[in-house]
PDB file of all heavy atoms in Angstrom:
ATOM      1  N   ALA A  13      78.161  84.053  99.597  1.00 95.00           N
ATOM      2  CA  ALA A  13      77.966  83.028  98.572  1.00 95.00           C
ATOM      3  C   ALA A  13      76.494  82.705  98.338  1.00 95.00           C
ATOM      4  O   ALA A  13      76.106  82.313  97.233  1.00 95.00           O
ATOM      5  CB  ALA A  13      78.724  81.764  98.963  1.00 95.00           C
ATOM      6  N   GLY A  39      72.679  85.113  81.905  1.00 93.00           N
ATOM      7  CA  GLY A  39      71.676  84.070  81.719  1.00 93.00           C
ATOM      8  C   GLY A  39      71.635  83.086  82.863  1.00 93.00           C
ATOM      9  O   GLY A  39      71.274  81.921  82.677  1.00 93.00           O
ATOM     10  N   ASP A  42      67.970  83.040  88.677  1.00 94.00           N
ATOM     11  CA  ASP A  42      67.957  83.452  90.085  1.00 94.00           C
ATOM     12  C   ASP A  42      68.947  82.655  90.929  1.00 94.00           C
ATOM     13  O   ASP A  42      68.778  82.519  92.141  1.00 94.00           O
ATOM     14  CB  ASP A  42      66.547  83.285  90.666  1.00 94.00           C
ATOM     15  CG  ASP A  42      65.574  84.319  90.114  1.00 94.00           C
ATOM     16  OD1 ASP A  42      65.987  85.487  89.964  1.00 94.00           O
ATOM     17  OD2 ASP A  42      64.416  83.956  89.823  1.00 94.00           O
ATOM     18  N   MET A 122      94.821 115.396  72.204  1.00 89.00           N
ATOM     19  CA  MET A 122      94.973 114.060  71.633  1.00 89.00           C
ATOM     20  C   MET A 122      96.363 113.502  71.912  1.00 89.00           C
ATOM     21  O   MET A 122      96.522 112.308  72.190  1.00 89.00           O
ATOM     22  CB  MET A 122      94.712 114.090  70.124  1.00 89.00           C
ATOM     23  CG  MET A 122      93.251 114.246  69.747  1.00 89.00           C
ATOM     24  SD  MET A 122      92.151 112.995  70.501  1.00 89.00           S
ATOM     25  CE  MET A 122      92.921 111.457  69.978  1.00 89.00           C
ATOM     26  N   GLU A 140     102.182  91.411  81.639  1.00 91.00           N
ATOM     27  CA  GLU A 140     101.877  90.260  80.800  1.00 91.00           C
ATOM     28  C   GLU A 140     103.137  89.488  80.395  1.00 91.00           C
ATOM     29  O   GLU A 140     103.102  88.264  80.266  1.00 91.00           O
ATOM     30  CB  GLU A 140     101.121  90.711  79.550  1.00 91.00           C
ATOM     31  CG  GLU A 140      99.712  91.221  79.861  1.00 91.00           C
ATOM     32  CD  GLU A 140      99.030  91.809  78.642  1.00 91.00           C
ATOM     33  OE1 GLU A 140      99.635  91.771  77.550  1.00 91.00           O
ATOM     34  OE2 GLU A 140      97.904  92.317  78.783  1.00 91.00           O
ATOM     35  N   VAL A 199      82.468 111.752  76.660  1.00 87.00           N
ATOM     36  CA  VAL A 199      83.852 111.281  76.785  1.00 87.00           C
ATOM     37  C   VAL A 199      84.358 111.465  78.203  1.00 87.00           C
ATOM     38  O   VAL A 199      85.008 110.579  78.772  1.00 87.00           O
ATOM     39  CB  VAL A 199      84.776 112.015  75.795  1.00 87.00           C
ATOM     40  CG1 VAL A 199      86.231 111.601  76.025  1.00 87.00           C
ATOM     41  CG2 VAL A 199      84.381 111.713  74.363  1.00 87.00           C
ATOM     42  N   HIS A 227     102.020  84.124  99.260  1.00 86.00           N
ATOM     43  CA  HIS A 227     101.679  82.855  99.926  1.00 86.00           C
ATOM     44  C   HIS A 227     102.085  81.674  99.052  1.00 86.00           C
ATOM     45  O   HIS A 227     102.628  80.679  99.550  1.00 86.00           O
ATOM     46  CB  HIS A 227     100.181  82.805 100.213  1.00 86.00           C
ATOM     47  CG  HIS A 227      99.723  81.480 100.748  1.00 86.00           C
ATOM     48  ND1 HIS A 227      99.918  81.093 102.059  1.00 86.00           N
ATOM     49  CD2 HIS A 227      99.101  80.436 100.137  1.00 86.00           C
ATOM     50  CE1 HIS A 227      99.446  79.884 102.236  1.00 86.00           C
ATOM     51  NE2 HIS A 227      98.939  79.450 101.087  1.00 86.00           N
ATOM     52  N   SER A 238     111.310  70.202 100.882  1.00 58.00           N
ATOM     53  CA  SER A 238     110.902  68.806 101.090  1.00 58.00           C
ATOM     54  C   SER A 238     111.427  67.910  99.981  1.00 58.00           C
ATOM     55  O   SER A 238     111.893  66.793 100.228  1.00 58.00           O
ATOM     56  CB  SER A 238     109.368  68.724 101.143  1.00 58.00           C
ATOM     57  OG  SER A 238     108.862  69.480 102.221  1.00 58.00           O
ATOM     58  N   SER A 282     117.901  56.741 131.938  1.00 94.00           N
ATOM     59  CA  SER A 282     119.145  57.320 132.436  1.00 94.00           C
ATOM     60  C   SER A 282     119.905  57.994 131.292  1.00 94.00           C
ATOM     61  O   SER A 282     119.665  57.716 130.114  1.00 94.00           O
ATOM     62  CB  SER A 282     120.023  56.237 133.056  1.00 94.00           C
ATOM     63  OG  SER A 282     120.494  55.364 132.041  1.00 94.00           O
ATOM     64  N   ILE A 293     121.794  54.712 117.095  1.00 92.00           N
ATOM     65  CA  ILE A 293     121.183  55.477 116.006  1.00 92.00           C
ATOM     66  C   ILE A 293     122.236  55.832 114.968  1.00 92.00           C
ATOM     67  O   ILE A 293     122.025  55.675 113.755  1.00 92.00           O
ATOM     68  CB  ILE A 293     120.505  56.759 116.561  1.00 92.00           C
ATOM     69  CG1 ILE A 293     119.263  56.388 117.386  1.00 92.00           C
ATOM     70  CG2 ILE A 293     120.129  57.711 115.429  1.00 92.00           C
ATOM     71  CD1 ILE A 293     118.699  57.529 118.200  1.00 92.00           C
TER      72      ILE A 293
END
Side-chain angles (χ1 to χ4, degrees):
D42 289 320
M122 286 306 305
E140 292 174 3
V199 175
H227 173 78
S238 298
S282 69
I293 291 168

